[in-house]
Amino acid sequence: MARMPDGWVARLAVAGTPAEARAGLDGLRAAGVTETVLAPVGPDPLGALDSLAAVLDV
C-alpha cells in the first residue's frame, strides 16, 4: 500500500488544539487554498466536529 510522505502530511493536515487547527487553516488560506475537506477522526468524531465548529466560528 502506498503511503503519503510525512512532509505532505505536515504541510496539509490540520491537527492539534483548537488554536493550532485555526493556525493551520489560516496558513493554508494564506498559501492560496480556497477549499478544504475536513474529516474529523479519533474516538469521538462528533465531539471533534463540535470542536471544529468552535474553531471555525460556525
Side-chain angles (χ1 to χ4, degrees), residues 13-14 20-30 33 36 38 52 55-56:
V14 174
E20 291 168 335
R22 174 82 269 169
L25 291 169
D26 290 345
L28 290 172
R29 187 175 301 116
V33 172
T36 56
L38 304 172
L52 181 59
V55 166
L56 298 177

Side-chain angles (χ1 to χ4, degrees), residues 2-53:
R3 194 180 133 178
M4 185 181 292
D6 291 343
W8 290 14
V9 175
R11 294 177 106 185
L12 300 174
V14 174
T17 66
E20 291 168 335
R22 174 82 269 169
L25 291 169
D26 290 345
L28 290 172
R29 187 175 301 116
V33 172
T34 59
E35 296 183 33
T36 56
V37 175
L38 304 172
V41 296
D44 183 13
L46 293 178
L49 280 176
D50 288 337
S51 295
L52 181 59

